[in-house]
Amino acid sequence: MKVILMAMLSFLLMTSEAFGMKVPKVDLHVSQEEYAISFLPVQKGEVAVLHLASGNHYLINTGTYKDRRQLYYYFNQIHIDNIKGLIITEKSEVDGRMIAELVEKFGIEEIVAGKSLEPFMPKQVSRFIHTIQEDQTFAFSDELTMRAVHEGNEKSEGLDFSITFFQYRFLWMSSQSSHAEGVLLKKPLENVNIVKLPVPAKTEGMSPKLLKHVDPQTAILYRSKERFLNSEMLEAINEAWIDLYLTGQHGLIAVKINRRNYEVLTFDQEDGVFKEGG
């Protein structure tokens, strides 16, 4: 049974100005043979940063152009000054203006998206787009590769992908339709350690059956309160002894993974979460 290390992520006393706000600094100290994923508590969308040992970063989704001050606030907080690539997971996460601005601002070289999303991507970044379909892979580095577990193009579906690093496997779930569930139940997901759950819709969500099939130890959810969760799903999470983290309650959440263990880090919400007006 793997060891889960829980810690509150300390922040440096030194602050700097970003958009007129003092930003508490966070250093994840990603070393060799290690990578990390930061889940940003933006108000809209599901945005994360993949930190590689090389110092490169991949941004998972972008948030909206209207709310871009939030995104840049968190970039400042976690020392993001370069972005090698983007991963766009679903149609609702496609914001052409935001994608175009990030490509220009950071010189982004790669945009990974499901094949079904290609028609919705801004034309000015088409030369950077690398489409991926079910069971295809994309390499971030020699050591780290993502696999498209499912690439859905129906309502409430998107790109569900996994990243395996040594014996640990992370699964990003976007889809929550009954069709996607049928596909995922046929996939070998029993070795997943950490899962990013899809935000529950009003009519559909992740069923206890699928949750049991994935059987993670840790779950991340872009949600403000547990009460918004489907009661059946919350009961299944509790019965399975899954550690649940919500960006709306824990603020910035980061997971660091190496060959020995993985570590879940949280950052105090009162100090670390963007506030309009600073």
Side-chain angles (χ1 to χ4, degrees), residues 183-199:
V183 174
L184 293 171
L185 284 171
K186 297 176 182 177
K187 299 289 183 176
L189 300 175
E190 296 83 0
N191 62 339
V192 169
N193 304 95
I194 310 146
V195 61
K196 193 288 296 177
L197 298 171
V199 174

Side-chain angles (χ1 to χ4, degrees), residues 37-49 70 74 77 170 172 195-200 219-226 228-229 243-255 264-275:
I37 306 174
S38 296
F39 303 89
L40 311 186
V42 295
Q43 294 176 358
K44 295 180 181 179
E46 299 182 329
V47 183
V49 177
Q70 293 180 44
Y74 292 117
Q77 186 180 9
F170 166 73
W172 179 289
V195 61
K196 193 288 296 177
L197 298 171
V199 174
I220 312 292
L221 186 65
Y222 286 87
R223 225 16 166 194
S224 59
K225 300 292 182 183
E226 286 189 12
F228 288 113
L229 284 173
D243 292 316
L244 177 64
Y245 294 85
L246 301 99
T247 56
Q249 290 183 352
H250 297 97
L252 176 68
I253 301 168
V255 179
V264 179
L265 306 167
T266 62
F267 188 81
D268 184 69
Q269 185 181 20
E270 292 302 315
D271 292 320
V273 171
F274 174 88
K275 298 178 180 63

Side-chain angles (χ1 to χ4, degrees), residues 59 62 72 75 98-108:
L59 181 64
T62 67
Y72 294 138
F75 281 179
M98 192 70 247
I99 292 172
E101 178 170 300
L102 289 168
V103 168
E104 181 178 357
K105 186 179 180 69
F106 291 95
I108 288 171

Side-chain angles (χ1 to χ4, degrees), residues 91-146:
K91 186 179 177 181
S92 63
E93 296 287 352
V94 177
D95 187 307
R97 292 180 70 188
M98 192 70 247
I99 292 172
E101 178 170 300
L102 289 168
V103 168
E104 181 178 357
K105 186 179 180 69
F106 291 95
I108 288 171
E109 304 171 4
E110 302 164 327
I111 301 176
V112 184
K115 180 69 175 176
S116 61
L117 288 184
E118 190 172 18
F120 305 102
M121 300 296 288
K123 293 181 179 179
Q124 63 266 43
V125 301
S126 59
R127 66 186 183 279
F128 303 117
I129 295 176
H130 177 97
T131 58
I132 190 169
Q133 294 177 281
E134 188 171 320
D135 293 327
Q136 291 183 339
T137 61
F138 178 84
F140 301 111
S141 66
D142 291 340
E143 299 80 22
L144 200 64
T145 299
M146 69 176 279

Side-chain angles (χ1 to χ4, degrees), residues 156 160 171-178 180-181 184-185 189 192 194-216 218-221 228-237 242 244:
S156 300
D160 306 293
L171 175 66
W172 179 289
M173 293 187 62
S174 302
S175 304
Q176 53 180 317
S177 70
S178 56
E181 178 175 320
L184 293 171
L185 284 171
L189 300 175
V192 169
I194 310 146
V195 61
K196 193 288 296 177
L197 298 171
V199 174
K202 292 181 179 179
T203 56
E204 294 183 284
M206 187 176 182
S207 71
K209 184 178 181 180
L210 181 55
L211 187 66
K212 185 177 180 179
H213 176 65
V214 177
D215 193 27
T218 301
I220 312 292
L221 186 65
F228 288 113
L229 284 173
N230 178 287
S231 59
E232 188 179 14
M233 181 178 173
L234 183 58
E235 183 179 353
I237 289 172
I242 297 170
L244 177 64

